[in-house]
Amino acid sequence: MDFQISGKKALVCAASKGLGKAIALALAGEGVELLLTARSADLLKGAAEECTQAGSPKVATHVCDLTENSARAQLIEVVRKQLQHVDILVHNVGGPKPTMALDTSVEEWQKGYEQLFPAVAQLNMAFLPEMRKRKWGRIVAVTSLSVLEPIAGLAISNAMRSAVTAMLKTLADEVAADGVTINCIAPGLINTDRTDALMKARIEKSGQSQDDYMRDYLKSIPAQRLGDTGEFGAVAAFLCSQQASYVTGSTIAVDGGKRRSTY
Ligand code: NAP
């Protein structure tokens, strides 16, 4: 299916690897012009080359730590210069530190907030007005299954991503009549470096062998496997498509059926 977004312009955050890069590649395959951002210049360069090979007509990169206010302000200037306007905005950033709610200090809650919330608000404020004027826009935020079902040991993710989701749901209502859709995409467990690190820590804590732990863990996923980054990117690209114009204010799980609720 042609998603009818060829020639659109997208800013993809945290796109040097993992889920962000997967979304960038899926958009590249649809002929979208891209600006990719993350902290690592080398990884970004590699991701940009892959996006060009995947079919993007133009790929720019900008090194930015999305948790820093001044770096975000600079990013906004660079994006305006390079892309002029943004049709598609993909929110993503590295995951917060795993903690138990009981053990999380005020400073850690604060850091989690700084990591996950302000970038979404600031980039929306920068690029939404033009989307509304043009009567077309797509905003997709990578969140987590933790929003739909809190995950033990990921207290900061559970709390802060829920706040981001509520903020975006509120905003989606305010701009839906202008042709701008805003959705969240909630990964269950997709095969990335972050997943690898999280699983290694859990296996170490469990005292089980890797094989035994993974066999037990995969029983909790009806698909009985981890997701592939390509499967995740494809769903995000669909949410950015012309065809998804009536999907807004939603959280779409990409989790192999792991979520237990019916909604
Ligand atoms: P990943 O493989 O570790 O990739 C993280 C990406 O974020 C990298 O491109 C990294 O690039 C970038 N990044 C990290 N901190 C940044 C910062 N301060 N500023 C700018 N870019 C930053 O992680 P992932 O698995 O793709 O996960 C992406 C997000 O989805 C995370 O928030 C994660 O918690 C969440 N999530 C993932 C899964 C999953 O199954 N993979 C499940 C639930 C939730 P640089 O290091 O170059 O900056």
Side-chain angles (χ1 to χ4, degrees), residues 28 154 205 225:
L154 290 182
K205 209 171 161 192
R225 63 178 176 85

Side-chain angles (χ1 to χ4, degrees), residues 163-180:
V164 168
T165 303
M167 180 251 279
L168 291 176
K169 174 74 178 160
T170 310
L171 192 60
D173 292 349
E174 295 172 15
V175 300
D178 296 322
V180 179

Side-chain angles (χ1 to χ4, degrees), residues 12 45 81-82 96 109 160 169 181 185 219 231:
V12 186
K45 193 167 166 259
K81 216 182 234 168
Q82 298 263 359
W109 288 119
M160 298 307 161
K169 174 74 178 160
T181 69
I185 178 164
K219 283 184 191 154
E231 293 173 305

Side-chain angles (χ1 to χ4, degrees), residues 18-19 22-23 190-192 227-234:
L19 303 182
I23 296 173
I190 314 292
N191 217 340
T192 66
D228 178 76
T229 51
E231 293 173 305
F232 185 85

Side-chain angles (χ1 to χ4, degrees), residues 25-44:
L25 283 168
L27 292 174
E30 294 298 322
V32 173
E33 180 178 338
L34 297 165
L35 194 146
L36 313 180
T37 187
R39 295 165 306 177
S40 151
D42 284 353
L43 287 179
L44 268 181

Side-chain angles (χ1 to χ4, degrees), residues 242-259:
Q242 187 57 43
Q243 289 88 341
S245 50
Y246 204 56
V247 182
T248 194
S250 287
T251 289
I252 309 293
V254 180
D255 66 349
K258 186 168 169 57
R259 181 178 87 261

Side-chain angles (χ1 to χ4, degrees), residues 35 61-62 73-83:
L35 194 146
T61 60
H62 177 71
Q74 203 188 6
L75 170 68
I76 289 165
E77 292 213 350
V78 169
V79 171
R80 287 198 173 123
K81 216 182 234 168
Q82 298 263 359
L83 298 180

